Amino acid sequence: MTRLVFFCGHAGAGKTSLAKRLIGPLIRQSGEAFCLLDKDTVYGAYSASVMQVLTGDPNDRDSPVYLQHLRDPEYAGLMEVARENLALGVNALVVGPFSREIRSGALFDRAWLGIGDDIGVHVVWVDLDEDDARARIVARANPNDAYKLAHWDDYRLRRFVPAAASYPGLIRFDNTAPCPDDDAALLQALLARTR
């Protein structure tokens, strides 16, 4: 059974760092092939070019223009790349916020994902409180975060935090100060076979 693993959460939560930390152990312990598909890596240069044309700001990744015209096509393309890898027998770690897709239940819907019952799905929500996330965003000084920081009061209203009881298939990971045991527990959860 091939695995589709999502690392979801808000900006600054540490989704990409966590996925990169776990991909080596996942490969070693499972003996299987994995690929890492980070939305910002896959679509970064493309989105910069489009946003330069649309708004004059190549680093815009959070304005109403981006959210209306570019966000959903990015996610659709990311899922298409994941499905191509899965069809080749390569497990896929997919990194992106995906907050809308969790809220709507789409990430738990095989029809929306476009996958069959032969794919094991895990959805990890990377938790980090707002103040810590904002501090990490400021510290990393990524130009793509400029709009978000300049409009933080608007952005923070969209910071959806899924309640575990409402999303029983969701794996929560507290990324405030993870220790090796936390990573090991998550690793074992991801190696478990699921439907």
Side-chain angles (χ1 to χ4, degrees):
M1 179 178 282
T2 312
R3 305 169 220 267
L4 174 59
V5 181
F6 293 95
F7 287 85
C8 312
H10 296 296
K15 304 177 294 295
T16 302
S17 297
L18 179 60
K20 287 180 177 179
R21 211 165 59 229
L22 292 182
I23 193 168
L26 280 168
I27 292 168
R28 286 189 296 277
Q29 289 194 29
S30 69
E32 300 168 1
F34 282 80
C35 68
L36 175 66
L37 303 172
D38 183 295
K39 186 179 80 66
D40 292 339
T41 303
V42 173
Y43 283 102
Y46 172 80
S47 296
S49 295
V50 172
M51 293 312 293
Q52 176 67 47
V53 171
L54 293 178
T55 67
D57 180 1
N59 300 313
D60 178 355
R61 295 298 184 284
D62 208 61
S63 72
V65 172
Y66 170 82
L67 295 174
Q68 181 179 358
H69 297 290
L70 214 54
R71 181 202 184 274
D72 290 345
E74 282 184 355
Y75 281 84
L78 192 63
M79 289 306 306
E80 189 62 32
V81 175
R83 284 189 293 270
E84 283 187 351
N85 278 277
L86 294 167
L88 295 170
V90 178
N91 300 294
L93 304 185
V94 182
V95 181
F98 287 102
S99 55
R100 277 190 210 170
E101 292 74 15
I102 289 178
R103 187 188 309 236
S104 71
L107 283 194
F108 307 98
D109 178 357
R110 289 181 178 277
W112 185 88
L113 292 170
I115 60 170
D117 290 339
D118 58 327
I119 307 294
V121 179
H122 293 286
V123 181
V124 179
W125 181 266
V126 183
D127 280 310
L128 191 67
D129 74 42
E130 180 184 335
D131 291 339
D132 288 339
R134 191 174 196 285
R136 286 186 184 182
I137 291 169
V138 169
R140 72 186 181 189
N142 185 326
N144 291 345
D145 295 322
Y147 187 96
K148 202 176 272 88
L149 289 171
H151 301 86
W152 190 261
D153 287 340
D154 292 332
Y155 169 70
R156 68 187 302 271
L157 295 176
R158 295 197 325 267
R159 281 182 50 93
F160 161 73
V161 178
S166 301
Y167 303 93
L170 191 67
I171 301 169
R172 302 286 295 266
F173 185 84
D174 183 354
N175 208 23
T176 305
C179 67
D181 287 346
D182 297 325
D183 284 4
L186 178 57
L187 182 65
Q188 292 312 306
L190 298 181
L191 288 169
R193 296 290 182 180
T194 64
R195 284 203 67 225

